[in-house]
Amino acid sequence: MTEEPRGPAGGREAASEGGAASGREAASEGHRGSPRRMARRASERIPPRAELMEQAAEASRAGLRTRRDRIITVARPILQTSVAASLAWLIATELVGHDQPFFAPISAVVTLGLTVGERRRRAVELAIGVAVGIAIADLLVAAIGSGTWQIGVTCGLAMLAATLVGGGPLLASQAGASAVLVATLQPPDGGFDFERALDALVGSGTALVVGSLLLPVDPVRLVREGLGPLLDRLGTVLGAIGDALEHRDAREAERALTAVGRVDALYDRLTATLAAAGDAARISLGRRGTLNRLDRYVAAVGEVGLAIENVRALARGAVRAIALDDSTPPEVTAAIHELATAARELDALLEDDGDAGRSQEATLRAVRLANAVLAETSNLSATHIVGQVRLVAVDLLRAGGVPRAEAQAAVRGAEPEKLD
């Protein structure tokens, strides 16, 4: 038997296979691209020089704006401190008659520098602490001298005495610092006298007067700087709760619940700021006209505090609903997002006209959406969330200046609204 020739067919197949392989390699090589093409693609990814220059210029302008804003912020306290130090030296030398009243300008700088925006009680406490520390240090150094162990004894006894007379941590620390200054920098030459303590009182008193009369702090600005970020953070938390319910994300719901704690910290800081703003308005003749406006903020801040507690309960309800896999109608998440908008828009209270209309509109739409759910579901989780939405709505309406009875009636009587 003779073997059938397979050469032509096999050759064609081999040629075809080889040609295909060569074509694939060539195509692969072409896909990877030549060095020129690769360079062109790289140049497309890198921003052109003009764009880089513009980005650098914008960054430089942003840096200049930041530094300018920082200078504007610190200009008033710097001016107050400088004037207070000069006046304290002038009063102590010319009126009191002391030759080197070292502690007068020092006390002015310390008192004013640490009490910008603080309550009047803290300012007075600081002034007394400096004077008490200096007086006790003078007495002790005159009795036991100055040295390594004497510094420790003087500092400790001065802080103890400040605490025994009813001072807080601020008074005690300033008394200790003043005692160290006496024991190290200017120990008394002879016996005990009250000159240094009197200089400290002159400096602290001058600082308090200058802080009240020369460019006094704006109480409304203090509240604005505290309330604005708080409302924004509260709106962010509400938005996170709505997103968690919409996406059925248990982890996101837990994060939203944890975030309420950070809102608590902002609220505590705001209440302290509001008290400081009231003190600033009362002791400054030029700022007493803001007291009526501050009274409105006091009421609003109290209602915001209630809203925070109800948002916390709302977050817990969202965590529970997701854990139990209870369904929540889309109107529920839409209502929570409307509350987030209402919380942010409440910042309009800080404007001159004090219009909270946009916040009230968003609040009432949230209530209408929530009321639509009550009529159609018996789901306990959804019902609990709707109840918290209604409570937060009352708090936000109250914070916007609506009387409690009217706010509650508006929430109860809001017509249900379904999503399209």
Side-chain angles (χ1 to χ4, degrees), residues 230 233-234 237-238 241 253-267 307-316:
L230 170 64
R233 181 68 63 85
L234 184 61
V237 172
L238 284 165
I241 296 172
E254 290 286 355
R255 285 197 294 265
L257 179 57
T258 303
V260 181
R262 293 191 287 272
V263 180
D264 285 334
L266 288 177
Y267 182 76
I308 293 172
E309 293 304 317
N310 286 319
V311 169
R312 193 192 318 278
L314 178 61
R316 290 197 184 101

Side-chain angles (χ1 to χ4, degrees), residues 247-399:
H247 303 145
R248 312 303 296 177
D249 190 333
R251 186 173 298 178
E252 188 173 0
E254 290 286 355
R255 285 197 294 265
L257 179 57
T258 303
V260 181
R262 293 191 287 272
V263 180
D264 285 334
L266 288 177
Y267 182 76
D268 292 340
R269 193 180 310 162
L270 175 61
T271 54
T273 299
L274 192 60
D279 281 344
R282 282 187 288 271
I283 65 177
S284 174
L285 297 178
R287 301 295 187 185
R288 288 190 177 180
T290 62
L291 282 173
N292 291 334
R293 195 172 176 186
L294 286 176
D295 289 339
R296 181 181 180 185
Y297 294 153
V298 169
V301 168
E303 296 298 331
V304 170
L306 295 176
I308 293 172
E309 293 304 317
N310 286 319
V311 169
R312 193 192 318 278
L314 178 61
R316 290 197 184 101
V319 171
R320 185 184 306 109
I322 296 173
L324 298 176
D325 199 22
D326 287 343
S327 63
T328 50
E331 286 81 6
V332 171
T333 57
I336 295 174
H337 283 298
E338 287 292 336
L339 286 182
T341 301
R344 294 189 182 98
E345 293 294 341
L346 198 59
D347 194 22
L349 279 173
L350 298 173
E351 299 175 0
D352 292 335
D353 53 5
D355 184 16
R358 291 174 296 181
S359 175
Q360 293 177 9
E361 291 175 5
T363 302
L364 292 177
R365 183 162 191 268
V367 173
R368 291 195 297 269
L369 290 167
N371 287 348
V373 177
L374 286 179
E376 297 184 0
T377 184
S378 59
N379 186 314
L380 291 180
S381 295
T383 303
H384 169 77
I385 292 174
V386 168
Q388 292 306 132
V389 167
R390 289 159 59 97
L391 288 175
V392 174
V394 171
D395 297 333
L396 294 180
L397 289 174
R398 292 278 297 120

Side-chain angles (χ1 to χ4, degrees), residues 100-116:
Q100 294 292 324
F102 171 79
F103 285 100
I106 287 292
S107 298
V109 171
V110 171
T111 301
L112 195 55
L114 294 181
T115 57
V116 174

